Each structure stands twice: as structure tokens, then as C-alpha cells.
Amino acid sequence: MTMPSALRRAAIACTLALPLFAAPAHAQPPAPGGPQPLRPPTPGKPDEPPIIMNYLSLFVIIATVVGANLIPSKRGHQD
């Protein structure tokens, strides 16, 4: 015996919708004395950046780029 297609569709829709109604409600506030919701940590004072090392690194990078550009190319007089 086969079910009519409308009844079959209704049965499939009810089967698929059942977990939505059976799930616990997570949007409700916690019970008194129960577990409290997690809170993000409070940010502290950020560390001071190493200014001297930043300037030294910048100087080394610039000196490397300028030094590489000062190396003469090995081209002959017929280029």
C-alpha cells in the first residue's frame, strides 16, 4: 500500500522539522546558581614596541637595498 504524495511530503516535512522543536532553548538566561556564561578577558596595557630595534631593522633593510643597487653590472662596452 502506498501513501499519497501529499501525505508523504507532510510526513517528510514533519520528520525534518522535529529536531528544530526538540532542541533545548539556548537563548534563555542561566538559572540562578547555575553555570555562568563565558566572558571575554579584559585587555591589559599593550607592551611598548622595541623602537631601537625597529629603527635598526629599517636601517639594515635600506642599506641592503641601496648596496645592491650600487653594485656595477658586468656589461661590456657593446651592450
Side-chain angles (χ1 to χ4, degrees), residues 3-44:
M3 286 197 273
S5 64
L7 183 60
R8 184 178 307 152
R9 287 186 198 140
I12 291 172
C14 289
T15 303
L16 293 175
L18 182 65
L20 297 175
F21 298 111
H26 294 290
Q28 295 179 355
Q36 298 298 319
L38 296 176
R39 290 186 170 76
T42 56

Side-chain angles (χ1 to χ4, degrees), residues 2 4 10 12-14 16 19 22 24-25 27 29 34 38-39 41 43 46 50-51 54 60-62 71 76 79:
T2 62
I12 291 172
C14 289
L16 293 175
L38 296 176
R39 290 186 170 76
I51 296 173
N54 286 344
V60 168
I61 291 171
I62 290 174
I71 296 175
D79 287 344

Side-chain angles (χ1 to χ4, degrees), residues 2 5 11 13-14 23-24 26 30 41 43 49 52 57 63 65-66 71-74 77:
T2 62
S5 64
C14 289
H26 294 290
I52 300 297
S57 300
V65 170
V66 170
I71 296 175
S73 60
K74 299 286 186 180
H77 65 282

